[in-house]
Amino acid sequence: MAERGRSGTWIAGLLAALFALPMAALVVQAFGDTWRSPALFPQELGLRGFSDAFAGGGAGPALLVSIEVALLTTLLALVTAWPAARVLGERRLRHPAPVILILAAPLLVPPL
């Protein structure tokens, strides 16, 4: 049983690394001032990318609006989903098919 736990941990670590690698590339690119084509890593590191992004004055307010929208949608999702999950988990429904259909609709209907 201990062998199974080690392999599961190893697989979980590998999956986490696979998801983290694209983010690591974005972080390296954000701090790379000079990065020419055949090189694997930037030749010069700095904060020029951040100063260019925030110099125009549009990135700061856009970032704040994005954070506000994310917080409000998270709050709305928690307020609506938490009670629904408790009701669905604690009670047996007489006709579960319509409820399951409504819950699965976002997965069944492609986003527009």
Side-chain angles (χ1 to χ4, degrees):
M1 192 70 168
E3 187 65 33
R4 180 186 236 180
R6 285 188 214 142
S7 66
T9 304
W10 186 80
I11 290 172
L14 180 66
L15 287 174
L18 285 175
F19 282 109
L21 280 176
M23 290 298 166
L26 286 175
V27 170
V28 170
Q29 189 174 10
F31 289 104
D33 278 351
T34 305
W35 197 348
R36 299 220 166 40
S37 178
L40 290 176
F41 296 104
Q43 287 80 20
E44 293 181 27
L45 296 176
L47 297 174
R48 191 186 75 189
F50 290 104
S51 64
D52 288 346
F54 289 101
L63 179 65
L64 289 176
V65 168
S66 295
I67 290 172
E68 287 174 3
V69 168
L71 289 174
L72 285 174
T73 53
T74 302
L75 181 66
L76 182 65
L78 285 175
V79 165
T80 57
W82 193 281
R86 292 203 50 175
V87 167
L88 288 173
E90 292 176 356
R91 293 190 170 91
R92 289 189 168 209
L93 302 172
R94 290 183 186 164
H95 304 289
V99 175
I100 291 173
L101 183 64
I102 290 170
L103 291 175
L107 300 173
L108 299 174
V109 179
L112 300 176

